[in-house]
Amino acid sequence: MTEEKKRPIDTAARWAAQSDSASTKLSSLMEKVRGRSIDEPAIARALRLVQSDSREISTAFEDFQRMASSIGRHGESYARIQKLFNESTETRKLMEFAAQRFSTSALNAELLESFNSLKAKEHESLRAIAKTYESTFRIPRLEETRQLLLRLELPVGSAAAYVRQHLGALAQQESLLASMRSPWLGEAGIERSATALLELQGIGAAVRSGNGFDVAATQALRSSLGDWRDPVSPSEIVVEEPLARTEIYVARGFNPSLTDFPEKTFQEGLALAGLHRDSQQVIVPPQAMQPVDEIEEAAFWRTNLCHNYLQRLERRIRQFIDDAMTARYGADWPAKRLQPQMLASWEEKKQKAHKAGMSLASLIEIADFTDYEVIICRKDHWREVFEPRFKRVESVRESFQRLYPIRVAAMHSRFVTKEDVLYVTAESTRLLAAISRSLP
């Protein structure tokens, strides 16, 4: 192994050693805090205060995890950093509590000094990790790309195999990879990087076609995005911890290589797959709202993108359902066709909206996200209205199931991950292509 390969390990070990003293000092001081009287409301306030800061660390930690998985053989030093990150989240909760309860005490000043020392080391390490991670990717020569494509064996039914069918000739695949302007070939897994880019293209081709719910497209998407036919349990919805959501995705079969790229490379890959186009409008926030670094800016970009997609998707889905149900059952279809409990919920929300001075063009405007799947997939509605459009009821359920955890997180202004972005852009495109296409 070369010295270049060992460098990130040395960086990790040095940072972990330097952080020990601050972490140990904080732990000692926390024992003093634990000896004071604590009331539950104060703890709740402390937890709320710390959420914004801990999300920044948690989101930034994604690149560390990807790097650690790519260099898994050298996990000991990285595991030590991960332990410190986990401990610092709990330490932060205690520190915020102490700041509220003992704001004028010498103890609090001592806590703040130690905590800030540890936090500074965290951010310094994160920046170093992000740069080291990015340095493991490069843009290959055209001949290297050609040879790589020749030896790639793509599993039958995968999204990568799906795009190979659509791109056809090897020259078209070469042209696709050669068009990437950001470093995309990861030294830790050369064939893995190329397959992942082709797989992103396959996802894009499947969801844009208008036939994204047929058997071949559904199989291809399931091989990449995981099997989401089983209902999402409320206990699975992890709003505060983006990395915990990712673990759930992987457990369902999500392919983590799809997002194992530097941020700019991932964004370019989405655009190349037709899953995202950069907005022409650039919004420049005031200085006080500027991100502290590129890591936070990427987190803002992902969250804003998901929020934008989901908001637009919901408006289109609501209008589609209302038009389709009105055409089949008449304008008063909610009263005729909704389950009594859902209708009562809609009517109650309508009354609250009117009292608040809001006007609704149609009753469906106050529907919950989970209502769409219930309406579309109900047996009689499916048979009489929606089957020609979507073809497979289990695939429709799967689309909404994949979107639901991210919808909860994004609409509560929580940071989201690359995995969240891929789910939202792919499934939004898939659903909108299906409802927009002309039926025979």
Side-chain angles (χ1 to χ4, degrees):
M1 181 177 291
T2 66
E3 288 301 316
E4 185 65 28
K5 295 282 186 180
K6 293 181 180 178
R7 198 170 298 163
I9 306 170
D10 295 338
T11 301
R14 281 199 304 273
W15 181 83
Q18 292 167 358
S19 298
D20 276 343
S21 59
S23 182
T24 301
K25 188 177 181 183
L26 268 171
S27 297
S28 175
L29 289 167
M30 286 305 101
E31 291 301 320
K32 299 179 184 179
V33 174
R34 291 189 183 96
R36 307 290 181 107
S37 60
I38 297 177
D39 61 275
E40 291 301 322
I43 294 176
R45 288 195 302 273
L47 292 177
R48 285 196 297 271
L49 281 173
V50 75
Q51 283 171 357
S52 60
D53 193 45
S54 61
R55 281 199 305 274
E56 179 185 337
I57 296 296
S58 178
T59 303
F61 197 54
E62 292 173 33
D63 280 341
F64 161 74
Q65 282 206 324
R66 290 187 174 87
M67 186 175 180
S69 65
S70 296
I71 317 176
R73 295 185 299 277
H74 318 302
E76 183 177 353
S77 296
Y78 289 101
R80 193 175 183 191
I81 288 185
Q82 185 167 13
K83 183 173 183 292
L84 285 172
F85 268 102
N86 293 338
E87 290 174 349
S88 69
T89 300
E90 182 62 29
T91 301
R92 187 177 293 105
K93 295 175 185 177
L94 290 168
M95 191 280 293
E96 293 287 352
F97 168 75
Q100 287 189 48
R101 295 279 292 183
F102 314 113
S103 58
T104 59
S105 68
L107 171 62
N108 187 57
E110 201 174 353
L111 282 168
L112 285 171
E113 180 184 356
S114 296
F115 173 77
N116 288 333
S117 174
L118 179 59
K119 183 179 177 184
K121 288 184 174 67
E122 285 178 344
H123 282 285
E124 179 184 348
S125 178
L126 283 170
R127 286 191 290 270
I129 287 169
K131 287 184 178 180
T132 306
Y133 174 72
E134 291 176 3
S135 71
T136 63
F137 290 83
R138 61 184 175 83
I139 298 176
R141 293 174 288 103
L142 184 59
E143 180 58 31
E144 183 182 4
T145 300
R146 181 177 296 115
Q147 294 300 318
L148 180 58
L149 287 171
L150 284 172
R151 67 174 183 266
L152 276 185
E153 295 183 6
L154 306 179
V156 175
S158 69
Y162 186 92
V163 78
R164 180 165 278 187
Q165 296 171 5
H166 285 71
L167 286 177
L170 184 65
Q172 291 178 279
Q173 298 170 48
E174 288 178 18
S175 177
L176 167 72
L177 296 181
S179 67
M180 290 289 293
R181 294 292 175 261
S182 302
W184 59 268
L185 195 65
E187 294 296 343
I190 293 176
E191 294 186 3
R192 182 172 182 255
S193 297
T195 302
L197 275 183
L198 289 177
E199 199 160 336
L200 283 176
Q201 289 297 311
I203 292 171
V207 300
R208 294 196 320 270
S209 67
N211 296 315
F213 291 94
D214 64 18
V215 175
T218 296
Q219 180 181 352
L221 292 173
R222 195 171 291 149
S223 72
S224 299
L225 304 180
D227 190 333
W228 286 77
R229 285 172 287 185
D230 291 337
V232 178
S233 167
S235 63
E236 289 186 271
I237 309 303
V238 185
V239 176
E240 299 296 342
E241 297 295 337
L243 299 177
R245 285 201 307 277
T246 301
E247 290 175 359
I248 293 169
Y249 303 160
V250 172
R252 289 203 172 212
F254 181 88
N255 179 5
S257 66
L258 296 173
T259 53
D260 189 13
F261 295 105
E263 186 71 37
K264 290 182 180 179
T265 306
F266 175 67
Q267 293 180 19
E268 185 179 352
L270 287 182
L272 196 61
L275 296 174
H276 167 65
R277 292 182 180 178
D278 290 330
S279 171
Q280 297 299 312
Q281 182 180 11
V282 178
I283 301 174
V284 181
Q287 185 61 37
M289 298 173 65
Q290 292 287 348
V292 297
D293 53 32
E294 292 183 0
I295 293 174
E296 189 178 58
E297 177 59 35
F300 281 132
W301 180 88
R302 293 194 297 266
T303 302
N304 291 337
L305 178 69
C306 286
H307 188 281
N308 189 10
Y309 265 64
L310 288 167
Q311 191 173 44
R312 293 170 184 270
L313 172 67
E314 285 203 60
R315 289 192 64 83
R316 291 290 304 279
I317 289 289
R318 287 172 178 171
Q319 188 61 57
F320 163 72
I321 291 174
D322 194 42
D323 290 346
M325 295 293 282
T326 297
R328 180 64 178 83
Y329 303 114
D332 60 344
W333 69 266
K336 295 178 181 177
R337 310 299 302 183
L338 290 182
Q339 298 172 352
Q341 186 177 1
M342 186 182 294
L343 178 60
S345 175
W346 285 20
E347 292 289 359
E348 181 182 355
K349 292 177 184 176
K350 177 182 177 181
Q351 292 176 11
K352 290 181 179 179
H354 285 169
K355 287 180 181 179
M358 297 172 57
S359 60
L360 302 175
S362 61
L363 187 58
I364 199 173
E365 287 189 31
I366 42 79
D368 289 334
F369 186 83
T370 52
D371 294 342
Y372 313 139
E373 176 196 336
V374 174
I375 295 171
I376 292 173
C377 297
R378 201 175 97 171
K379 287 184 179 179
D380 51 349
H381 295 169
W382 178 259
R383 183 179 62 254
E384 298 170 8
V385 181
F386 298 109
E387 185 175 16
R389 180 72 59 180
F390 295 110
K391 300 180 182 178
R392 298 170 59 82
V393 69
E394 67 176 20
S395 298
V396 175
R397 287 199 180 98
E398 204 164 13
S399 283
F400 285 112
Q401 295 269 88
R402 287 179 180 138
L403 290 171
Y404 182 55
I406 308 112
R407 199 268 185 187
V408 174
M411 294 305 178
H412 286 81
S413 299
R414 304 301 191 235
F415 282 155
V416 300
T417 64
K418 295 175 185 175
E419 292 77 15
D420 293 327
V421 169
L422 181 54
Y423 273 132
V424 168
T425 55
E427 290 297 352
S428 296
T429 303
R430 184 190 194 191
L431 286 164
L432 292 175
I435 69 177
S436 302
R437 69 186 177 90
S438 300
L439 294 178

